[in-house]
Amino acid sequence: MKRTLGLLAALTVTACATVREPPPAAPAPAPAPVAATPAPVPLVAPAPEPPVTVAGITPEKYADLFDRIRAGYQLPDAAAVSIDREFRWYSNNPEYLDRVFGRAGPYLYHIVGEIEARQMPLELALLPVVESAFEPYAYSRARASGLWQFIPPTGSRFGLKQNWWYDGRRDVIESTRAALDYLQFLHDEFDDWLLAVAAYNCGEANVARAVRANAAAGRPTDFFSISARLPKETRAYVPKLLAMARLFFSPQDYGIEFSTLPNEPYFVSIDTLGQIDMKLAADLAGISYDELYTLNPAFHRWATDPAGPHRLLVPADTADLFRESVRQLTPDERMRVKHHRVE
C-alpha cells in the first residue's frame, strides 16, 4: 500500500543553497503531494521509454504540467555511478520531494513556458531543485540568492538589478530570464547541454580549462570524461540534475507517485503604476502579506522599489480585482508610511 505524504511546513534547503536570508515570513505554496513505497533502485540507467506525449498535442493542451515537462526531455541519461548515487538519495527521501515540489507549484508554469519558448531541454525546469530546492529566499555561503542562485557579479552581468529596495536575483520573472540567458550562452560556447549545466555551477573558465586539458591528452571532452578535473560540487551537480530527471520521468517505476499539477498559470503580472506599499497591495489583491512576498521575493522592504520595476505578481484568480483596485488609488493612498518633521 502506498503511503501518502503531507506537505511538511519546514522549508529546508539541501541543494546548492545552504543559508537562508531572513525574509518576511512566507509559507510554503500549495502542495504537490508525493506518495512512496520502497522500491529497488537500478544501478544503471533504465531503458528509455516513450515520452508522455500525443502527436499533435501542443504544450498548452496537457492537463498535467508534469507531463508537459516530461514530453520536452532532451538530455541524455547515462549509466554512471555518480547519477545512481544521487538517484538513491532522491528516491529514498520522498518527504524532501514533497516539500520541494510543494514550493515549486507557483513558479513552474512560468519557468516551463520560458524554456519552451527558447526550445531548450525541459529538464532545465528541474534545475532549481538542485540549486535552491525551489526556496525563493535561498541564500548560500557564496552569497548566491534566489531560485536560480545567482551570485551578485553574475546577476549584474545578466542584467539583474540589486539595491536596497529590490534584488532581481530573487525576482521570479527576471531571474528565470537571466538563468536561461546564461545557460544558452554556455550552450553556445560548449555545444553541449551537460557542459553548459556544469559551467552554470562552477563557471565557464573551469569547464573550458578541463575540456582543453582532456583534448590535449587525446581524451573525450564530454562531462563524464572531464568531471575529474572539475570542482567536487560540480562533479555531483550534473548527476543530481540527471538523477532528478530520471526519477521525475517515470516515478511509478520506483514506487513514487507525483500528484498532478494543473497546466495553467498560477500568477499574473500586474502593473502597479508606481511604488506601492506591500501590505496595501496584499489587501487589494485579497491575499495574505506572506503570499504576496512568496510571489514577489525580490522586494525586501515594506514597499516596492520607487524606481521600479512597477509590477507585482498576484494569483491569477485575483488579478482582475487587483488591477482595478490599483487603478483607483490616489497618489496619497499608495504608501502607508507617514513622514513627520522633527523640530
Side-chain angles (χ1 to χ4, degrees):
M1 179 179 296
K2 290 184 178 177
R3 178 169 55 90
T4 301
L5 300 171
L7 180 67
L8 302 184
L11 300 182
T12 308
V13 179
T14 60
C16 292
T18 56
V19 183
R20 289 184 60 196
E21 289 181 354
V34 178
T37 54
V41 178
L43 294 179
V44 296
E49 298 179 8
V52 195
T53 184
V54 178
I57 289 188
T58 59
E60 296 77 15
K61 297 300 183 182
Y62 285 96
D64 183 1
L65 183 62
F66 291 161
D67 281 343
R68 181 176 168 186
I69 294 172
R70 294 172 185 124
Y73 270 27
Q74 298 179 34
L75 300 183
D77 200 349
V81 172
S82 56
I83 300 176
D84 298 329
R85 180 169 53 246
E86 304 300 338
F87 184 95
R88 278 193 293 268
W89 192 91
Y90 285 135
S91 62
N92 290 333
N93 289 274
E95 295 88 353
Y96 172 77
L97 300 178
D98 190 45
R99 293 195 300 271
V100 170
F101 284 99
R103 288 193 294 267
Y107 314 120
L108 261 179
Y109 181 89
H110 174 76
I111 291 171
V112 168
E114 293 300 300
I115 292 173
E116 281 179 338
R118 299 171 183 241
Q119 299 183 329
M120 299 166 79
L122 275 179
E123 292 97 326
L124 297 177
L126 304 175
L127 195 57
V129 175
V130 182
E131 281 289 348
S132 63
F134 272 104
E135 166 55 77
Y137 287 100
Y139 190 78
S140 78
R141 286 171 293 184
R143 300 196 307 150
S145 187
L147 296 176
W148 296 95
Q149 289 291 282
F150 277 96
I151 60 174
T154 309
S156 297
R157 176 183 170 191
F158 285 90
L160 296 177
K161 177 180 174 181
Q162 301 160 62
N163 63 25
W164 190 78
W165 290 95
Y166 168 88
D167 189 343
R169 298 176 300 157
R170 295 201 308 245
D171 187 307
V172 176
I173 291 177
E174 274 297 287
S175 67
T176 298
R177 187 271 309 159
L180 299 185
D181 284 351
Y182 190 20
L183 285 162
Q184 187 62 62
F185 167 83
L186 294 168
H187 181 263
D188 291 345
E189 179 172 348
F190 297 108
D191 196 28
D192 182 294
W193 278 114
L194 297 189
L195 294 182
V197 171
Y200 187 89
N201 177 252
C202 69
E204 55 263 42
N206 284 323
V207 173
R209 186 162 44 247
V211 167
R212 286 195 301 269
N214 264 33
R219 297 174 182 172
T221 57
D222 61 279
F223 169 78
F224 291 100
S225 297
I226 70 164
S227 61
R229 300 182 186 273
L230 298 176
K232 181 179 179 181
E233 180 182 313
T234 308
R235 294 199 297 269
Y237 181 83
V238 173
K240 284 179 181 179
L241 176 62
L242 294 177
M244 185 71 259
R246 182 190 297 175
L247 180 61
F248 188 84
F249 186 83
S250 52
Q252 67 282 355
D253 291 349
Y254 312 105
I256 304 288
E257 182 179 338
F258 288 92
S259 68
T260 61
L261 184 65
N263 183 26
E264 59 189 31
Y266 184 92
F267 61 74
V268 175
S269 178
I270 302 296
D271 188 347
T272 60
L273 308 175
Q275 187 181 30
I276 189 170
D277 182 288
M278 292 290 281
K279 183 66 171 65
L280 171 63
D283 291 344
L284 294 178
I287 60 176
S288 71
Y289 193 53
D290 293 337
E291 185 174 2
L292 186 65
Y293 272 106
T294 295
L295 293 175
N296 300 275
F299 295 109
H300 44 225
R301 303 297 171 185
W302 66 91
T304 59
D305 187 342
H310 297 309
R311 59 165 169 76
L312 285 172
L313 307 183
V314 298
D317 58 0
T318 70
D320 291 340
L321 169 66
F322 181 67
R323 183 184 294 107
E324 185 57 32
S325 297
V326 167
R327 285 175 181 167
Q328 295 179 15
L329 289 175
T330 65
D332 291 341
E333 292 173 331
R334 302 184 66 83
M335 298 290 288
R336 288 178 170 175
V337 176
K338 294 183 178 180
H339 299 278
H340 300 275
R341 177 179 294 180
V342 178
E343 297 180 353

